[in-house]
């Protein structure tokens, strides 16, 4: 059974930084895809960042390029999203997502590529 648990959300002032972590238990396949999505109040869920097995590319939404970075620690089975230069528009619930098969690159940015989701962690950026 796969379980994804997010941590690290909180309240930060604009320009500040936060680091989100996703702990993945049960996602033991060597073929996988993992991602972060976010959903702000009244808005649709949107893609933030993704990685997949066998691929060194980190896929980032245009809105976060240059500010967010994504890394995975295979030994610890965690995926971290380092967020810097945060803006009020980054305020949202951030969700970790995973799949036990390597998604094709064109599908990485869509929620349908992921079978497993965490409960979410709130990030609030004050102006």
């Amino acid at each position: 059974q796969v379980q994804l648990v997010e941590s690290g959300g909180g309240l930060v002032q604009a320009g500040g930084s936060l680091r989100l972590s996703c702990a993945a238990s049960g996602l033991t396949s060597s073929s996988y895809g993992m991602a972060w999505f976010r959903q702000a109040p009244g808005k649709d869920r949107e893609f933030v960042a993704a990685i997949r097995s066998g691929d060194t590319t980190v896929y980032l939404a245009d809105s976060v390029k240059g500010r967010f970075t994504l890394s995975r620690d295979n030994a610890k089975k965690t995926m971290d999203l380092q967020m810097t230069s945060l803006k009020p528009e980054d305020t949202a619930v951030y969700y970790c997502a995973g799949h036990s098969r390597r998604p094709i690159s064109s599908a990485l940015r869509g929620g349908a590529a992921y079978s497993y989701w965490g409960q979410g962690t709130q990030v609030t950026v004050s102006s």
Side-chain angles (χ1 to χ4, degrees):
Q1 184 177 358
V2 176
Q3 186 175 18
L4 305 177
V5 179
E6 305 97 335
S7 61
L11 173 64
V12 64
Q13 288 188 332
S17 300
L18 278 175
R19 188 177 185 90
L20 304 183
S21 185
C22 174
S25 61
L27 198 62
T28 58
S29 172
S30 59
S31 177
Y32 65 84
M34 294 188 73
W36 287 96
F37 288 78
R38 66 186 182 186
Q39 187 166 21
K43 294 188 176 182
D44 292 334
R45 182 180 61 194
E46 66 172 346
F47 168 79
V48 177
I51 54 173
R52 60 179 183 161
S53 56
D55 188 350
T56 58
T57 303
V58 175
Y59 298 85
L60 295 167
D62 289 342
S63 60
V64 306
K65 283 181 180 177
R67 301 188 299 122
F68 292 11
T69 58
L70 184 64
S71 61
R72 173 170 165 89
D73 186 323
N74 287 322
K76 295 181 180 179
K77 294 184 173 57
T78 58
M79 177 180 64
D80 290 350
L81 183 69
Q82 179 67 48
M83 306 185 295
T84 63
S85 302
L86 282 162
K87 304 175 181 179
E89 50 263 44
D90 294 318
T91 294
V93 177
Y94 284 69
Y95 296 92
C96 175
H99 189 55
S100 54
R101 290 186 181 180
R102 183 173 181 264
I104 59 175
S105 58
S106 60
L108 277 169
R109 298 170 187 264
Y114 305 93
S115 300
Y116 309 107
W117 294 82
Q119 293 299 308
T121 185
Q122 177 71 46
V123 171
T124 303
V125 184
S126 62
S127 57

